[in-house]
């Protein structure tokens, strides 16, 4: 039984790998369905509820996805419609993409999403206009800003913990960083989550919880799919060796690692962690 009193946020970006990583012109594969099933089974095993930031066009192609997530009692939030990077599009196009994603979620679930996560954490200084637009569109929270100096994303001087967005009614829950060896490292998702030894992850969560703050862990259903990238490469899709390595190395660690993490720490959906209704 987890002993930490702090409720942390478990989040899943519900999308298909090839389409969101290789580019929007690639097909959305049905692998997303068994991958989601695996994820839901693991969450059910630990009685953990999570937030699913769901991509509009993937849910539109496979309506069973949101049905499965709702059936299992999780929170549905928005990951936009077309996975377009915010700093590459205009504020008007962003609003259209948001409205389209809300429409898909509302049609399929009967409720409006409260939360939003930008594709590839593309809410940066360059797309800072996005915060007020999210509030206007009816969102109550966002989990889109990474307080790191990344190559493609990141706002290194952004606050590290949940806070109100300036001048609008929106709470931002920044992606978790841990201070290790004098640097802010993004430990709670992506490659770091797979590559770093578990004790470092544990120490990072304890460090943030010890300061009285929740962490947010982010995952994708495809990270449970150990053979996906090699399979697609065999089928002739343009996947470089480097991409294959960075995207699939240690995917086999994800399941046992989450298993262990859920035994040691408490997790819940983001709206519950932020106390937003
Ligand atoms: Zn995404």
């Amino acid at each position: 039984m987890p002993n930490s009193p702090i409720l942390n946020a478990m989040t899943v970006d519900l999308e298909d790998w090839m389409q969101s990583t290789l580019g929007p012109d690639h097909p959305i594969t049905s692998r997303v369905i068994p991958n989601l099933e695996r994820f839901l089974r693991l969450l059910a095993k630990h009685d953990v509820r999570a937030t699913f930031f769901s991509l509009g066009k993937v849910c539109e192609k496979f309506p069973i996805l949101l049905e499965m997530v709702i059936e299992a009692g999780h929170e549905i939030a928005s990951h936009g419609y077309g996975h377009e990077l915010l700093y590459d599009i205009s504020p008007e196009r962003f609003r259209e993409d948001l409205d389209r994603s809300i429409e898909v979620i509302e049609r399929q679930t009967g409720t409006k999403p409260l939360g939003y996560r930008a594709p590839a954490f593309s809410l940066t200084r360059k797309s800072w206009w996005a915060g007020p637009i999210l509030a206007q569109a009816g969102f109550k929270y966002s989990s889109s800003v990474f307080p790191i100096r990344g190559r493609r994303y990141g706002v290194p001087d952004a606050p590290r913990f949940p806070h109100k967005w300036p001048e609008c009614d929106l709470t931002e829950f920044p992606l978790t960083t841990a201070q290790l060896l004098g640097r802010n490292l993004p430990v709670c998702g992506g490659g770091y989550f797979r590559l770093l030894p578990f004790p470092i992850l544990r120490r990072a969560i304890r460090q943030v919880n010890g300061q009285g703050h929740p962490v947010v862990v982010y995952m994708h259903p495809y990270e449970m799919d150990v053979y996906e990238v090699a399979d697609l490469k065999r089928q002739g899709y343009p996947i470089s060796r480097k991409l294959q390595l960075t995207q699939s190395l240690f995917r086999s660690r994800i399941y046992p690692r989450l298993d262990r993490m859920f035994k040691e720490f408490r997790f819940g959906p983001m709206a519950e962690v932020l106390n937003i209704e």
Side-chain angles (χ1 to χ4, degrees), residues 42 190-199 201 219 223-226 248-261:
L42 175 63
Y192 282 90
F193 190 88
R194 283 181 276 135
L195 300 174
L196 292 172
F198 185 80
L201 175 71
M219 289 284 138
E223 288 178 272
M224 294 277 192
D225 193 343
V226 178
S248 68
L249 189 67
F250 297 140
R251 275 193 186 183
S252 57
R253 280 189 185 170
I254 292 291
Y255 190 102
R257 187 154 283 199
L258 287 171
D259 210 34
R260 208 163 154 188
M261 190 182 78

Side-chain angles (χ1 to χ4, degrees), residues 66-98:
L66 289 191
E67 249 176 65
M68 288 158 65
V69 175
I70 287 277
E71 173 82 22
H74 301 286
E75 180 194 4
I76 309 264
S78 165
H79 192 35
Y81 181 84
H83 215 268
E84 290 175 290
L85 303 180
L86 270 49
Y87 45 67
D88 284 345
I89 58 176
S90 66
E92 294 73 30
R93 192 174 167 94
F94 173 58
R95 179 62 202 252
E96 280 165 27
D97 181 271
L98 276 184

Side-chain angles (χ1 to χ4, degrees), residues 13-16 20 53 55 79 83 117-121 220 222:
D13 293 357
L14 180 51
E15 63 189 34
D16 186 45
S20 48
F53 291 100
L55 192 64
H79 192 35
H83 215 268
R117 172 166 293 149
F121 314 116
H220 302 85
Y222 56 71

Side-chain angles (χ1 to χ4, degrees), residues 3-276:
N3 43 24
S4 162
I6 297 232
L7 185 68
N8 297 294
M10 181 64 210
T11 67
V12 180
D13 293 357
L14 180 51
E15 63 189 34
D16 186 45
W17 180 77
M18 186 157 66
Q19 223 271 326
S20 48
T21 307
L22 287 191
D25 298 335
H26 289 281
I28 300 168
T29 77
S30 60
R31 290 181 93 109
V32 63
I33 300 170
N35 290 343
L36 174 64
E37 258 168 3
R38 262 176 235 150
F39 226 108
L40 290 175
R41 270 201 304 274
L42 175 63
L43 293 170
K45 176 179 161 192
H46 293 278
D47 210 9
V48 167
R49 287 190 309 119
T51 295
F52 283 76
F53 291 100
S54 310
L55 192 64
K57 66 176 174 184
V58 172
C59 300
E60 208 161 50
K61 176 154 184 191
F62 299 113
I64 192 172
L65 296 171
L66 289 191
E67 249 176 65
M68 288 158 65
V69 175
I70 287 277
E71 173 82 22
H74 301 286
E75 180 194 4
I76 309 264
S78 165
H79 192 35
Y81 181 84
H83 215 268
E84 290 175 290
L85 303 180
L86 270 49
Y87 45 67
D88 284 345
I89 58 176
S90 66
E92 294 73 30
R93 192 174 167 94
F94 173 58
R95 179 62 202 252
E96 280 165 27
D97 181 271
L98 276 184
D99 287 343
R100 227 172 145 189
S101 91
I102 295 170
E103 194 270 318
V104 172
I105 291 173
E106 220 174 354
R107 177 158 35 89
Q108 295 192 352
T109 69
T111 44
K112 265 186 101 162
L114 298 175
Y116 172 81
R117 172 166 293 149
F121 314 116
S122 55
L123 210 173
T124 63
R125 287 282 181 228
K126 213 178 146 191
S127 49
W128 209 242
W129 40 258
I133 297 179
L134 285 166
Q136 280 159 19
F139 287 101
K140 296 290 176 209
Y141 73 86
S142 147
S143 178
S144 306
V145 175
F146 228 134
I148 55 165
R149 191 181 304 280
R151 203 164 43 84
R152 285 173 301 124
Y153 54 77
V155 180
D157 57 346
R160 291 176 55 223
F161 304 119
H163 58 280
K164 280 275 179 204
W165 194 272
E167 291 156 19
C168 67
D169 184 20
L170 185 77
T171 298
E172 172 65 30
F173 194 149
L175 280 301
T176 297
T177 54
Q179 293 180 313
L180 292 171
L181 311 169
R183 288 182 58 197
N184 275 0
L185 288 182
V187 286
C188 288
Y192 282 90
F193 190 88
R194 283 181 276 135
L195 300 174
L196 292 172
F198 185 80
I200 292 191
L201 175 71
R202 176 198 283 135
R203 205 171 75 189
I205 300 177
R206 281 187 185 155
Q207 185 189 69
V208 173
N209 284 177
Q211 293 170 310
H213 300 288
V215 304
V216 46
V217 167
Y218 69 95
M219 289 284 138
H220 302 85
Y222 56 71
E223 288 178 272
M224 294 277 192
D225 193 343
V226 178
Y227 304 107
E228 176 178 46
V229 182
D231 281 355
L232 293 172
K233 191 171 176 163
R234 250 194 314 276
Q235 287 167 33
Y237 287 102
I239 299 166
S240 67
R241 279 180 81 87
K242 187 178 166 213
L243 189 68
Q244 182 175 6
L245 197 70
T246 55
Q247 288 289 319
S248 68
L249 189 67
F250 297 140
R251 275 193 186 183
S252 57
R253 280 189 185 170
I254 292 291
Y255 190 102
R257 187 154 283 199
L258 287 171
D259 210 34
R260 208 163 154 188
M261 190 182 78
F262 290 147
K263 281 182 193 144
E264 297 190 23
F265 299 95
R266 289 177 66 220
F267 280 89
M270 199 156 249
E272 199 174 312
V273 173
L274 293 173
N275 211 0
I276 287 174

